[in-house]
Amino acid sequence: MSDAAVPAPTTHPTLEADITAALGPRSIVLVGMMGAGKSTIGRRMAARLKLPFTDADTEIETAADMTIPEIFETHGEAYFRDGEARVIARILDSGPIVLATGGGAFMREETRNRIRDRAISIWLKADSDIIMRRVRRRADRPLLQTADPEATVNRLLSEREPVYKSADLTIASRDVPHDRIVDECLAALHAHLCGARPDGEPPPDGLNATS
């Protein structure tokens, strides 16, 4: 067979390239409770998508020149939430990135609206026992400095989950390898943005198909 008769190979853009092309100027924003893995998963997702990664809490501390516990202690939660909203607005104006937000950020309507307009949101959904295992040794969670941290987590879950459900996508955060959660996030993003999973693959275990 001559070279001219050999069919040219069909090339398929990678899943990651499909996602970044479909995102355009929008960002990806991870929301959910403390301990859900937003920063860890966000960093890995950003690396896969070749996008910058930003942790909102880190940016808040940099802007205030104080740690978050210090901000809470010195100025209170309302002051922190106002600063958080301003910082997230500025970050989302900076172009396509992967952004991990603090657990309470998505509760503010102004911030939810801005995320809806400028990003695709992913709720990393973790149940209370996962959260407690991950955060009980941390001393930098101001909202958990209570006599009964587990009761506080359960209260926050009951208050926040109805709001987190408004995120574009929901992925179960659980004790599996981080890269598996990243794969599930990327598959969900591809389905949401591009209308189909690559090569007809089935939904991953952690994907909420109703999202």
Side-chain angles (χ1 to χ4, degrees), residues 100-118:
T101 61
F106 203 60
M107 300 300 291
R108 192 170 184 131
E109 184 178 10
E110 168 194 353
T111 297
R112 286 199 305 278
N113 290 340
R114 188 173 292 270
I115 291 171
R116 183 195 62 228
D117 292 342
R118 300 186 179 226

Side-chain angles (χ1 to χ4, degrees), residues 58-76:
T58 300
E59 291 296 309
I60 293 163
E61 291 182 332
T62 300
D65 195 25
M66 301 172 76
T67 67
I68 288 173
E70 287 170 345
I71 297 170
F72 267 75
E73 183 178 355
T74 304
H75 299 292

Side-chain angles (χ1 to χ4, degrees), residues 41-157:
I41 300 305
R43 283 190 186 89
R44 291 175 184 239
M45 256 182 26
R48 291 272 295 273
L49 295 170
K50 297 180 173 59
L51 291 173
F53 170 76
T54 301
D55 185 299
D57 283 352
T58 300
E59 291 296 309
I60 293 163
E61 291 182 332
T62 300
D65 195 25
M66 301 172 76
T67 67
I68 288 173
E70 287 170 345
I71 297 170
F72 267 75
E73 183 178 355
T74 304
H75 299 292
E77 183 175 0
Y79 178 93
F80 169 79
R81 296 300 176 195
D82 288 343
E84 179 179 54
R86 289 193 299 272
V87 166
I88 290 174
R90 170 175 58 78
I91 292 168
L92 290 176
D93 284 341
S94 69
I97 60 166
V98 177
L99 172 65
T101 61
F106 203 60
M107 300 300 291
R108 192 170 184 131
E109 184 178 10
E110 168 194 353
T111 297
R112 286 199 305 278
N113 290 340
R114 188 173 292 270
I115 291 171
R116 183 195 62 228
D117 292 342
R118 300 186 179 226
I120 303 297
S121 53
I122 300 176
W123 173 24
L124 290 184
K125 182 180 181 180
D127 59 28
S128 60
D129 65 326
I130 292 279
I131 292 168
M132 288 308 301
R133 281 205 303 273
R134 292 176 179 174
V135 305
R136 63 168 28 109
R137 295 184 181 89
R138 299 278 297 270
D140 59 347
R141 308 285 190 179
L143 294 182
L144 294 188
Q145 303 309 306
T146 64
D148 190 346
E150 188 168 359
T152 301
V153 164
N154 287 326
R155 175 180 59 79
L156 290 172
L157 279 170

Side-chain angles (χ1 to χ4, degrees), residues 26-33 36 38 99 101-103 105-109 111-117 119-126 160-172 185 188-189 192-193 207-211:
R26 291 175 294 178
S27 295
I28 297 166
V29 176
L30 298 174
V31 305
M33 283 286 288
K38 300 182 296 288
L99 172 65
T101 61
F106 203 60
M107 300 300 291
R108 192 170 184 131
E109 184 178 10
T111 297
R112 286 199 305 278
N113 290 340
R114 188 173 292 270
I115 291 171
R116 183 195 62 228
D117 292 342
I120 303 297
S121 53
I122 300 176
W123 173 24
L124 290 184
K125 182 180 181 180
R160 292 176 176 180
E161 285 199 338
V163 179
Y164 290 154
K165 285 178 181 176
S166 66
D168 295 307
L169 301 167
T170 300
I171 299 293
C185 289
L189 280 166
H192 180 75
L193 293 168
L207 172 61
N208 180 347
T210 64
S211 297

